[in-house]
Amino acid sequence: MKFTMLPTVWDETVAELEAAGHEFVEDLAQARGLVFNAGPEKLPDPVPENIEVIQLPFAGVEPFNDAGLLAADGPRWANGAGLYADTVAESALSLLLAQLHLLKTAVTSASFDSADTIDAHKQWLFEDKTVAIIGAGGIGVRLLELLAPHRVSTIAVNRSGRPVTGADRTVAIDDAAMDEVWATADYFVLIMPLTDQTRHMVNAEVLGKMKSTAVVVNVGRGPLIHTDDLLAALRDGTIAGAALDVTDPEPLPDDHPLWGLDNCLITPHVANTPSMVRALTGQQAVRNFDAFEAGETMPAEVDGKAGY
Amino acid sequence: MKFTMYPGVWDNVVAEVEEAGHEFVSDLHQAEFLIYAGGRLPDPLPESVGFVQFVFSGIDRLLDAGVIRPGVRWANAAGVYGRPVAEIALTLLLSQLHHVKAATLASSFSARGPIDAAQGWLIDGGTVAIIGAGGIADALIPMLRPFGVKVIAVNRSGRPVEGADETYPQSEAGHVWEEADAFILAAPLTEETSGMVDAGVLARMKRSAVVVNVGRGELIVTDDLVAALRDGEIAGAAMDVTDPEPLPDGHPLWRLPNCTITPHIAATGRIAQQMVAPQVIANAAAFEAGERMPTEVDITLGY
């Protein structure tokens, strides 16, 4: 299939597609497929009719959804979903463990004097804990594998409620049972995409339902959490801690109060980064374009109506 | 058997041991065994005391201080804290690979580029070597498995460790320092292991190597590690134990962004209180049966 890449041509992406038998063309009018690596404002408007499929490198497609592009008649869309399962799952476990064992307190105190405080307030994954994975897709399945040897109970939360491999229990996000999930799980890992339904889903009301020992990890999108509500909950002990690789706003300003909280660990969006995206987009495009040509649903096809 | 506990009495441990048919007495001179959590002991111990059960694993300091002497049998808690210590080892390894300390010290998204460039991934399928593979390794190896890493175990005997891809005896493990991407030091402190990670060994490691210490601080020559971390001879270190310990405030290791330090929070008194009773009961049963206790200390070996 003839394809082009806009607005920036990544040589390694082109090379992988060509190695798989696709043909790079400079002229957009000659292409059937498009690999597009910028925001929707840079997209040709309108997208020419000869473009039947567009591959985006990232998993998060909300700017394209907000621009009304995904639901429109026109090309089919694929994203980077599933591509970052390994790295994001590893980062999620790393953040969870680091927060449970109060690494930030250890780093900021820089003293063995903090030993008693840490011993008194730290938590252990091995002590029969329940982990809820909110937005359990490909990353969630991988995270469940990494969690299995820790013998935790696991709850997968997804859109459909269809049982997730490796989870002890699966709950649909709009099920009434979610009240009980928020109230009984010890730890929450947020991985779902950002949509109108999920924006600010972890707000003061939800935080208020959680145990005071709860820890929230966000490796999905910053706006899944209402930042000011989280700040208040961490300050007044409504929950025990949070660990964030994504924030709202992002980048989090250097003078933001979250940086100063010992019970809020923050890494600067390093679970999947531009360098990883660039290295992995080619193989993702190959999988999707091959399925597209075969007349199948693409492995990472975006559901235009759902917005991801 | 009659037993007592010293210096503090842990009520839940006493209750669990009593439930197994033993009787708590407050007078040491009536006790047939002693559950011991550190500190001074009467010298000599009353003849009634058949064995002393230490609630932690590392007995090097008790040997050095002369607290453990020939004449009374001793047991420790070797292997009891495998799961908590393995959890701390994994936490330290992942935190160092992903530069949690550097991110915390920077407190800014401007650190994103440098961290992205420098961070390592377990999931990339490297090799993890566990030096001193006993109870901690038994718990840690299953935790490492789903990352798809190769696991090399090094122990004293070279007897194959379950779940490890390869096991070597300490005496034939020199090549492992060059092969592995990450090292978990979990060995007891003995004459053989003291200072085992020195400038020579650090120089053999890959520049991308990460060293995690959950054994004893003295396994590493601290000044050599400081130099290796400063010069980029290895990528990072993460330790729950240090030498000296406590590590003095202001020690250069605290300031190195590639050295994660937690203040000995793995097998703490709180964890011992929760977990030690079943081992005490098993040891007492073996002692009564006239057998070697499962975690009986070999004074000549030092663990």
Side-chain angles (χ1 to χ4, degrees):
Chain A
M1 176 167 99
K2 289 180 179 171
F3 73 97
T4 193
M5 185 155 186
L6 289 174
T8 311
V9 176
W10 289 342
D11 294 340
E12 55 271 62
T13 306
V14 170
E16 288 208 48
L17 279 160
E18 290 204 315
H22 301 284
E23 184 194 341
F24 178 75
V25 292
E26 296 276 356
D27 182 3
L28 180 65
Q30 301 294 314
R32 242 180 117 192
L34 169 65
V35 182
F36 184 74
N37 53 9
E41 70 286 351
K42 298 254 176 75
L43 193 70
D45 180 20
V47 176
E49 280 188 12
N50 55 289
I51 297 295
E52 296 176 51
V53 57
I54 300 179
Q55 170 74 54
L56 301 169
F58 286 100
V61 297
E62 63 273 11
F64 293 85
N65 190 46
D66 293 347
L69 289 158
L70 304 182
D73 291 336
R76 286 159 64 185
W77 296 78
N79 65 4
L83 200 50
Y84 315 109
D86 280 351
T87 58
V88 180
E90 178 170 328
S91 293
L93 182 62
S94 175
L95 286 170
L96 176 61
L97 287 169
Q99 181 52 38
L100 293 185
H101 296 296
L102 304 181
L103 264 276
K104 187 169 180 177
T105 302
V107 169
T108 57
S109 77
S111 171
F112 266 65
D113 291 347
S114 64
D116 290 344
T117 306
I118 293 176
D119 188 34
H121 293 103
K122 75 204 289 287
Q123 301 188 47
W124 295 89
L125 204 50
F126 84 92
E127 289 179 325
D128 302 320
K129 296 296 167 45
T130 298
V131 181
I133 299 173
I134 316 294
I139 298 167
V141 169
R142 200 67 187 89
L143 179 58
L144 285 164
E145 291 169 7
L146 300 184
L147 285 170
H150 298 271
R151 294 184 239 167
V152 290
S153 300
T154 51
I155 303 172
V157 176
N158 60 16
R159 196 156 49 119
S160 65
R162 230 187 339 263
V164 171
T165 311
D168 296 319
R169 182 180 160 205
T170 303
V171 176
I173 190 79
D174 54 4
D175 195 301
M178 277 307 292
D179 271 351
E180 173 237 316
V181 172
W182 296 122
T184 57
D186 295 290
Y187 311 129
F188 300 89
V189 180
L190 312 181
I191 327 184
M192 65 280 207
L194 184 65
T195 65
D196 288 345
Q197 286 81 44
T198 63
R199 182 179 300 272
H200 292 166
M201 89 182 294
V202 176
N203 54 20
E205 188 195 341
V206 162
L207 290 161
K209 289 176 189 168
M210 291 180 187
K211 294 181 182 179
S212 60
T213 50
V215 170
V216 175
V217 176
N218 193 0
V219 288
R221 287 283 174 187
L224 296 172
I225 297 179
H226 190 292
T227 300
D228 289 345
D229 290 358
L230 176 69
L231 183 65
L234 290 170
R235 276 185 171 151
D236 65 21
T238 303
I239 66 167
L244 317 171
D245 188 52
V246 289
T247 59
D248 180 31
E250 191 175 304
L252 195 70
D254 287 358
D255 60 356
H256 195 281
L258 278 181
W259 291 113
L261 292 183
D262 259 5
N263 57 350
C264 186
L265 190 71
I266 304 168
T267 52
H269 205 149
V270 292
N272 81 53
T273 64
S275 66
M276 287 176 227
V277 169
R278 196 170 161 147
L280 294 170
T281 294
Q283 41 178 280
Q284 181 84 340
V286 169
R287 280 190 292 267
N288 286 320
F289 286 1
D290 285 353
F292 174 84
E293 276 197 299
E296 296 161 7
T297 301
M298 296 180 283
E301 184 145 359
V302 172
D303 179 341
K305 291 199 180 60
Y308 64 91
Chain B
M1 293 173 75
K2 290 181 180 166
F3 72 99
T4 192
M5 178 149 192
Y6 180 88
V9 175
W10 293 347
D11 292 340
N12 71 308
V13 173
V14 167
E16 279 183 70
V17 174
E18 284 201 315
E19 219 161 278
H22 303 288
E23 182 195 342
F24 179 79
V25 291
S26 44
D27 181 1
L28 180 63
H29 288 85
Q30 311 231 322
E32 293 162 281
F33 70 91
L34 166 65
I35 304 174
Y36 169 66
R40 288 176 165 283
L41 276 184
D43 177 20
L45 284 166
E47 280 190 11
S48 62
V49 176
F51 77 96
V52 183
Q53 168 71 58
F54 185 44
V55 299
F56 296 108
S57 306
I59 57 159
D60 46 276
R61 289 186 180 87
L62 298 179
L63 285 166
D64 289 349
V67 174
I68 296 183
R69 293 175 297 264
V72 61
R73 289 165 68 185
W74 279 74
N76 67 1
V80 174
Y81 311 117
R83 288 183 73 195
V85 179
E87 185 173 320
I88 293 293
L90 184 65
T91 302
L92 286 171
L93 176 58
L94 288 171
S95 295
Q96 183 50 44
L97 285 173
H98 298 296
H99 293 261
V100 168
K101 180 174 181 178
T104 301
L105 291 177
S107 279
S108 170
F109 265 67
S110 62
R112 189 187 194 198
I115 291 176
D116 180 32
Q119 74 179 328
W121 298 91
L122 260 192
I123 218 92
D124 277 348
T127 297
V128 179
I130 305 174
I131 313 296
I136 295 166
D138 290 343
L140 182 59
I141 290 171
M143 294 178 188
L144 292 171
R145 274 279 150 245
F147 290 94
V149 291
K150 175 178 168 182
V151 177
I152 298 178
V154 176
N155 59 17
R156 202 163 174 280
S157 65
R159 214 178 2 253
V161 170
E162 195 182 330
D165 296 290
E166 296 167 11
T167 304
Y168 300 100
Q170 191 106 44
S171 53
E172 293 164 30
H175 61 101
V176 176
W177 300 120
E178 284 141 39
E179 273 177 43
D181 299 287
F183 299 89
I184 312 290
L185 309 181
L189 183 65
T190 65
E191 274 177 30
E192 287 165 338
T193 63
S194 180
M196 74 191 301
V197 176
D198 59 10
V201 159
L202 289 161
R204 294 174 74 176
M205 292 180 187
K206 298 180 183 178
R207 294 184 81 82
S208 56
V210 170
V211 176
V212 175
N213 193 359
V214 289
R216 280 290 188 205
E218 294 89 337
L219 299 175
I220 298 178
V221 178
T222 301
D223 290 347
D224 292 358
L225 179 68
V226 171
L229 290 171
R230 276 188 175 150
D231 300 348
E233 201 150 30
I234 64 167
M239 37 233 242
D240 190 47
V241 290
T242 59
D243 177 34
E245 190 174 307
L247 194 70
D249 293 358
H251 191 280
L253 281 180
W254 290 115
R255 285 193 298 275
L256 289 173
N258 57 348
C259 184
T260 303
I261 305 165
T262 51
H264 207 144
I265 53 170
T268 62
R270 190 168 73 104
I271 284 292
Q273 204 160 340
Q274 262 167 264
M275 301 182 75
V276 80
Q279 188 66 56
V280 178
I281 293 162
N283 284 336
F287 182 89
E288 272 192 302
E291 293 163 9
R292 185 182 164 77
M293 294 179 283
T295 60
E296 185 152 348
V297 166
D298 184 327
I299 294 180
T300 49
L301 288 178
Y303 63 93

